[in-house]
């Protein structure tokens, strides 16, 4: 028991993720050179003159000549450096001019440039988590990691004042206190590594809510999505997960939780129960807390409600993801109360939803019975009202036609009414309900049913009145 208790405490401590910046500006990384390989001893090395750059030199490189940028630094760990030779290095060819690629435009809010994992250990072992685009870049509660043996240049421009995160690790040093990191940002390396209109800040509290925390990136949604190219989707009813930039084929499970829900344990549960097993190994799962606006009576926006969104993608039609969604719902039905889950539903890109099957036939039958009762009651009420003469069946209006007599009367009435620019109207028929059915042909008079457009609005001629009586015109 004590062991179990300690494990629960550990796993319930915090729900923050590790996000690692993928690119680097290391000298020895061949992807940083325009020729696709690290320069050799007969080459001329060129850094773009107009640029600032921080370069990590892992080991000793031999060069013939080097052209420096406007501003920059070499970070030399022990064992790093350069030797200059006169260009006679064997096996290096005649020598070319090789340029260091520009890292100026790499953006903090580009989802393609980050890796996400649940722990630093998982990051190292490559056990990565899938997440929607907004959460593929750093969230406010995350620990941000720049690889220890590397340097970088990142544009941290944001739609908000700052870019709050829990901690930032640079060159093996972890910053989680505000003043230390501010000092680092002002240092030589700090100014070369981080640029842009906003600066990251550390010390935001980690997520202390075991049920998870909202990422906080919705203000940068457009900035994040501007980097994403959405592939066309071929499924019947593509889904749009909250926080994502593209439609997807697959399934979305929405979970309502109670105070005992723990996001990380639930993620582990689904991993062990389903995703780690055939046939679900190929499925990508993104689980996070999202805020959904609730609508009262489908019209009036209500408070945001926090829900757990589980996005399931199988990379194909979404059929396998849908099967998994049904399995997850079954698990919720069996174990929901012990997991801290009060309800769950799903939508699949095939068009299926949890309402179709899992709420069972009982729901359909009850719905049908209620529908029939309401319908019968409605007919009875109408019949009674009809018998008492409160409701009459109106004659259907004819298709409007325009006669010369009408046009004449319209022209006349418009002249008299030209001062009515108020776009409201009074319906004189409401004053005398008996008027409507008592006058025969009142809706049928083909001369009278009419609509005319004028520069000041749409005029309806009310056929209940004499065409010559100008006060009967409505202005809408
Ligand atoms: C080189 O850079 C690329 C992308 O910038 C990165 O994916 C890769 O991991 C780097 N290589 C090494 C050895 O660090």
């Amino acid at each position: 028991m004590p062991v179990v208790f300690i494990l629960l405490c550990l796993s319930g401590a915090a729900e923050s993720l590790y996000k690692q910046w993928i690119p680097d500006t290391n000298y020895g990384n061949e992807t940083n050179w325009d020729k696709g390989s690290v320069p050799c001893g007969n080459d001329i090395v060129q850094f773009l003159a107009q640029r600032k750059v921080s370069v990590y030199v892992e080991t000793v490189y031999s060069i013939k000549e080097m052209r420096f940028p406007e501003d920059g630094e070499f970070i030399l760990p022990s064992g790093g450096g350069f030797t200059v030779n006169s260009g006679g290095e064997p096996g290096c060819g005649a020598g070319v001019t090789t340029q260091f690629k520009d890292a100026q435009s790499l953006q903090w809010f580009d989802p393609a440039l980050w890796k996400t994992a649940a722990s630093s250990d998982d990051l190292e072992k490559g056990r990565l988590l899938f997440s929607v685009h907004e959460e593929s870049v750093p969230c406010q509660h995350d620990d941000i990691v720049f690889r220890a043996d590397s340097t970088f240049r990142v544009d941290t421009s944001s739609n908000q004042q700052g870019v709050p995160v829990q901690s930032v690790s640079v060159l093996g040093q972890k910053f989680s206190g505000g003043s230390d990191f501010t000092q680092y940002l002002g240092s030589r390396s700090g100014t070369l590594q981080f640029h842009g209109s906003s600066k990251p800040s550390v010390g935001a509290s980690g997520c202390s809510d075991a049920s998870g925390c909202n990422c906080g990136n919705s203000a940068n949604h457009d900035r994040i999505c501007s980097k994403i190219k959405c592939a066309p989707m071929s499924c019947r009813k593509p889904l749009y997960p909250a926080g994502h930039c593209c439609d997807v084929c697959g399934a979305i499970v929405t979970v309502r939780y109670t105070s005992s829900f723990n996001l990380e344990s639930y993620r582990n549960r689904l991993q062990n129960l389903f995703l780690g097993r055939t046939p679900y190994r190929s499925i990508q799962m993104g689980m996070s807390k999202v805020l959904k606006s609730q609508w009262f009576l489908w019209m009036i926006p209500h408070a945001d409600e926090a829900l757990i969104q589980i996005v399931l993608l199988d990379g194909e039609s979404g059929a396998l993801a849908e099967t998994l969604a049904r399995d997850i719902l079954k698990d919720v039905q069996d174990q929901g109360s012990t997991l801290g889950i009060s309800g769950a539903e799903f939508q699949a890109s095939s068009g299926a939803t949890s309402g179709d099957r899992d709420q069972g036939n009982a729901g359909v039958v009850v719905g049908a019975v209620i529908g029939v009762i309401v319908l019968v009651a409605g007919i009875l009420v109408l019949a009674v009202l009809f018998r008492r003469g409160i409701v009459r069946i109106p004659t259907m209006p004819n298709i409007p036609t325009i006669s010369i007599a009408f046009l004449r009367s319209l022209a006349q009435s418009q002249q008299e009414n030209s001062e009515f620019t108020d776009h409201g109207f009074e319906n004189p028929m409401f004053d005398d309900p008996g008027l409507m059915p008592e006058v025969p042909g009142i809706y049928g008079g083909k001369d009278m049913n009419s609509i005319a457009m004028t520069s000041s609005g749409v005029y309806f001629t009310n056929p209940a009145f004499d065409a010559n009586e100008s006060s009967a015109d409505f202005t809408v």
Side-chain angles (χ1 to χ4, degrees):
M1 274 307 281
V3 175
V4 171
F5 181 70
I6 290 167
L7 282 178
L8 279 177
C9 286
L10 285 177
S11 72
E15 167 58 34
S16 54
L17 297 175
Y18 285 77
K19 305 248 164 90
Q20 188 181 65
W21 178 251
I22 297 171
D24 60 47
T25 46
N26 291 5
Y27 192 93
N29 189 330
E30 54 195 24
T31 64
N32 288 330
W33 297 97
D34 67 341
K35 302 281 190 300
S37 61
V38 180
C40 65
N42 300 342
D43 291 343
I44 296 172
V45 173
Q46 187 174 42
F47 291 92
L48 282 167
Q50 266 33 266
R51 292 300 190 218
K52 300 180 179 188
V53 70
S54 168
V55 178
Y56 192 84
V57 187
E58 304 92 323
T59 170
V60 177
Y61 294 95
S62 135
I63 52 166
K64 186 175 159 207
E65 186 181 323
M66 185 180 285
R67 298 173 189 163
F68 290 110
E70 174 192 308
D71 192 4
E73 67 173 3
F74 288 123
I75 299 175
L76 308 176
S78 69
F82 294 104
T83 58
V84 181
N85 67 40
S86 49
E89 188 174 288
C92 178
V96 287
T97 301
T98 302
Q99 206 170 67
F100 197 73
K101 277 198 199 158
D102 189 10
Q104 185 72 8
S105 59
L106 300 180
Q107 304 230 345
W108 178 277
F109 285 108
D110 184 345
L113 303 183
W114 294 95
K115 285 191 222 180
T116 303
S119 68
S120 53
D121 188 45
D122 282 1
L123 256 187
E124 256 155 53
K125 299 216 169 92
R127 286 196 294 258
L128 303 181
L129 292 174
F130 168 79
S131 41
V132 293
H133 291 127
E134 266 182 32
E135 290 162 40
S136 302
V137 300
C139 299
Q140 54 188 341
H141 305 286
D142 288 342
D143 292 298
I144 305 312
V145 181
F146 293 93
R147 288 199 313 277
D149 51 355
S150 75
T151 185
F152 55 92
R153 185 160 171 84
V154 56
D155 179 357
T156 49
S157 297
S158 164
N159 294 359
Q160 286 171 313
Q161 275 258 302
V163 184
V165 292
Q166 188 183 187
S167 73
V168 174
S169 300
V170 181
L171 291 165
Q173 192 182 354
K174 182 169 175 174
F175 297 96
S176 48
S179 58
D180 280 358
F181 189 59
T182 313
Q183 213 171 347
Y184 181 77
L185 285 177
S187 73
R188 183 105 205 101
S189 296
T191 51
L192 291 169
Q193 289 166 336
F194 299 94
H195 69 109
S197 63
S198 306
K199 289 276 183 275
S201 62
V202 301
S205 66
C207 175
S208 54
D209 185 345
S211 72
C213 291
N214 183 249
C215 175
N217 274 340
S218 48
N220 283 299
H221 184 84
D222 292 346
R223 187 181 283 274
I224 293 165
C225 291
S226 68
K227 296 284 167 190
I228 304 291
K229 257 191 122 160
C230 297
M233 286 290 137
S234 58
C235 46
R236 209 160 73 91
K237 243 181 131 179
L239 305 167
Y240 188 75
H244 211 51
C245 299
C246 305
D247 281 342
V248 297
C249 293
I252 299 176
V253 179
T254 309
V255 171
R256 265 165 241 281
Y257 60 92
T258 62
S259 54
S260 57
F261 180 75
N262 183 310
L263 184 73
E264 203 172 330
S265 337
Y266 189 55
R267 185 190 284 125
N268 288 337
R269 178 185 176 82
L270 296 187
Q271 182 66 40
N272 296 333
L273 217 52
F274 303 116
L275 292 160
R277 299 170 182 231
T278 32
Y280 296 133
R281 282 182 202 278
S282 62
I283 288 194
Q284 286 186 307
M285 176 181 79
M287 185 191 290
S288 54
K289 183 180 273 186
V290 297
L291 300 177
K292 289 226 166 125
S293 342
Q294 298 299 302
W295 298 81
F296 181 64
L297 289 179
W298 300 282
M299 283 182 303
I300 305 154
H302 208 50
D304 283 347
E305 189 188 6
L307 298 164
I308 305 301
Q309 172 180 265
I310 306 173
V311 180
L312 302 168
L313 306 180
D314 55 21
E316 289 170 42
S317 66
L320 188 61
E322 184 179 330
T323 316
L324 175 56
R326 290 182 194 279
D327 278 351
I328 290 176
L329 253 67
K330 213 177 292 159
D331 182 45
V332 167
Q333 259 167 21
D334 296 344
Q335 300 290 325
S337 53
T338 51
L339 296 170
I341 296 176
S342 59
E345 53 202 43
F346 81 87
Q347 279 179 291
S349 54
S350 66
T353 66
S354 45
D356 294 349
R357 206 174 77 174
D358 290 282
Q359 280 170 10
N361 290 332
V364 175
V365 171
V366 170
V369 168
I370 291 176
V372 168
I373 291 174
V374 167
L375 194 69
V376 169
I379 291 172
L380 284 177
V381 168
L382 263 182
V384 169
L385 292 179
F386 187 71
R387 290 289 302 270
R388 295 202 173 167
I390 295 172
V391 170
R392 312 258 169 122
I393 300 170
T395 338
M396 289 306 288
N398 287 348
I399 296 164
T401 53
I402 296 176
S403 71
I404 292 173
F406 159 70
L407 284 177
R408 209 182 291 134
S409 74
L410 179 72
Q412 187 193 350
S413 64
Q414 237 175 274
Q415 260 171 5
E416 290 168 21
N417 262 351
S418 53
E419 68 271 23
F420 284 117
T421 46
D422 177 11
H423 285 215
F425 61 84
E426 280 172 60
N427 186 344
M429 289 200 319
F430 275 101
D431 292 333
D432 184 2
L435 190 63
M436 201 161 56
E438 247 74 81
V439 181
I442 196 163
Y443 279 98
K446 64 177 173 185
D447 288 352
M448 297 181 178
N449 270 305
S450 44
I451 297 173
M453 302 286 270
T454 71
S455 58
S456 64
V458 184
Y459 285 82
F460 292 86
T461 306
N462 185 340
F465 285 79
D466 188 319
N468 293 322
E469 233 179 287
S470 60
S471 65
D473 283 3
F474 299 132
T475 311
V476 176

